[in-house]
Amino acid sequence: MKLTNYRFDIEGLNIPDAPLEKRDDARLMVLNRAEQTIEHTKFSEIHKYFNEGDVLVYNNTKVFPARLHGKKEKTEADIEVFLLRELQPENMLWDVLVEPARKIRIGNKLYFGEEDELMAEVVDNTTSRGRTIRFLFEGTSDELYARLDALGKMPLPPYIEREPVDEDKERYQTVYATERGAVAAPSAGMHFTEELIKKIEAKGVVTVPVTLHIGWGTFRNVEVEDITKHRMDSENYFISKDTSDKINVALRSKKKKVVAIGTSSVRVIETSVMASGMSKMGTGWTDKFIYAPYDFKITEALVTNFHRPESTLLMLSAAFAEYDFLMKAYEEAKKENYRLFSFGDAMLII
């Protein structure tokens, strides 16, 4: 498959810049791969498609307010620092993007908040826009995050043009987000409510967490026509023994399915595959890029949103649903005026 296979016009499509007031009021399109059927329902009805013993794997990463606006020393020029990842918590070192990059050099000091509540020093250049900075902060990593929570803004997707608001700190987040470290939300999971999760678990469905701290690379354009030459950014992941064990129980039963909530969960569990085809606990960095044809070893059903054209998320979804069937579903979504992308509706592929 070539990049152009994943191109479509978004002009006139329903692309919201804010979520619905009630999470599970989102629409749900159900794609049955075996029967090649498409069904329309509400996300609040998703529990009807799961059975006792099924295992739902969700990504419990938590988005933090990664956008900081501040001033450069001496010139007082306005700057923006986008925090990508914490490199060395003990030394307050961070990998960041900066704007305007041409004016921010090694040795520059940066100031954030009123009365310079937080300061940082640029210690290295990494890319044309990338820098490594050290926060000049006397305290623990947790205390620094508390300061960032107060000063920072949520990193909404780049195609959303409005400024972040305080409500985004709760709504651009899943209800089960506990592990801080992402700069983009696992958006398929944003449709779940605590009540819906209880309803699912009451059926005997097992819910288990994995962690993948989604980086800004999730929004990076694929720029090569031959998609096999695209390289994903590495992202930190963790899968516990308990999660792997429960996944393996379902795999061995042959009658229960493993359902991934979101493409990030797919990437974790497919990274965890052993030679036996079973899941193995572990932690590390994954740059796994899934595109057709791909032999899914663990994932048996997928909850996902409608994704941007030419995105790696769309490519993964097409690999799972099969390309022609997924494109048919996207045409149906356009016709039925589904809400698309991060704050949009969802699909369940079974």
Side-chain angles (χ1 to χ4, degrees), residues 299-313:
T299 312
E300 297 168 305
L302 170 63
V303 179
T304 190
N305 276 23
F306 294 87
H307 302 297
R308 295 174 301 118
E310 300 184 353
S311 66
T312 59
L313 311 176

Side-chain angles (χ1 to χ4, degrees), residues 3 13 49 68 102 110 142 165 171 180 196 261 270 287 333 348:
L3 181 62
L13 298 184
Y49 298 90
L68 290 173
R102 68 185 184 280
L110 313 174
D142 285 342
V165 295
R171 286 300 276 116
R180 184 179 58 208
L196 181 55
I261 309 302
E270 295 295 327
D287 60 358
L348 168 63

Side-chain angles (χ1 to χ4, degrees), residues 270-286:
E270 295 295 327
T271 294
S272 78
V273 176
M274 298 185 288
S276 64
M278 295 291 109
S279 173
K280 181 182 179 181
M281 64 174 287
T283 187
W285 296 83
T286 182

Side-chain angles (χ1 to χ4, degrees), residues 98-153:
V98 295
E99 289 289 351
R102 68 185 184 280
K103 295 183 178 180
I104 301 178
R105 301 182 175 92
I106 294 174
N108 286 159
K109 288 189 172 59
L110 313 174
Y111 301 88
F112 308 99
E114 296 180 7
E115 299 180 359
D116 304 334
E117 296 174 61
L118 186 62
M119 292 182 287
E121 181 181 10
V122 180
V123 298
D124 197 10
N125 293 333
T126 53
T127 64
S128 59
R129 292 179 58 215
R131 303 289 186 272
T132 299
I133 67 170
R134 175 185 290 112
F135 283 106
L136 307 176
F137 180 78
E138 295 294 329
T140 66
S141 176
D142 285 342
E143 289 169 335
L144 174 61
Y145 267 107
R147 187 69 59 87
L148 297 176
D149 285 342
L151 295 176
K153 294 183 177 181

Side-chain angles (χ1 to χ4, degrees), residues 1-2 5-6 31 33 36 227 263 266-267 270 288-297 299-302 304-305 307 311-327 330 347 349-350:
M1 300 293 283
K2 301 296 185 181
N5 292 118
Y6 299 96
L31 280 60
R33 293 178 294 168
Q36 293 287 290
I227 65 172
T263 58
V266 174
R267 292 181 61 226
E270 295 295 327
K288 194 169 191 64
F289 178 24
I290 296 176
Y291 54 88
Y294 181 83
D295 181 18
F296 289 86
K297 296 291 195 297
T299 312
E300 297 168 305
L302 170 63
T304 190
N305 276 23
H307 302 297
S311 66
T312 59
L313 311 176
L314 177 64
M315 294 169 190
L316 186 155
S317 300
F320 188 74
E322 296 182 354
Y323 175 83
D324 289 339
F325 190 32
L326 188 74
M327 292 301 105
Y330 270 62
M347 61 169 58
I349 309 170
I350 56 178

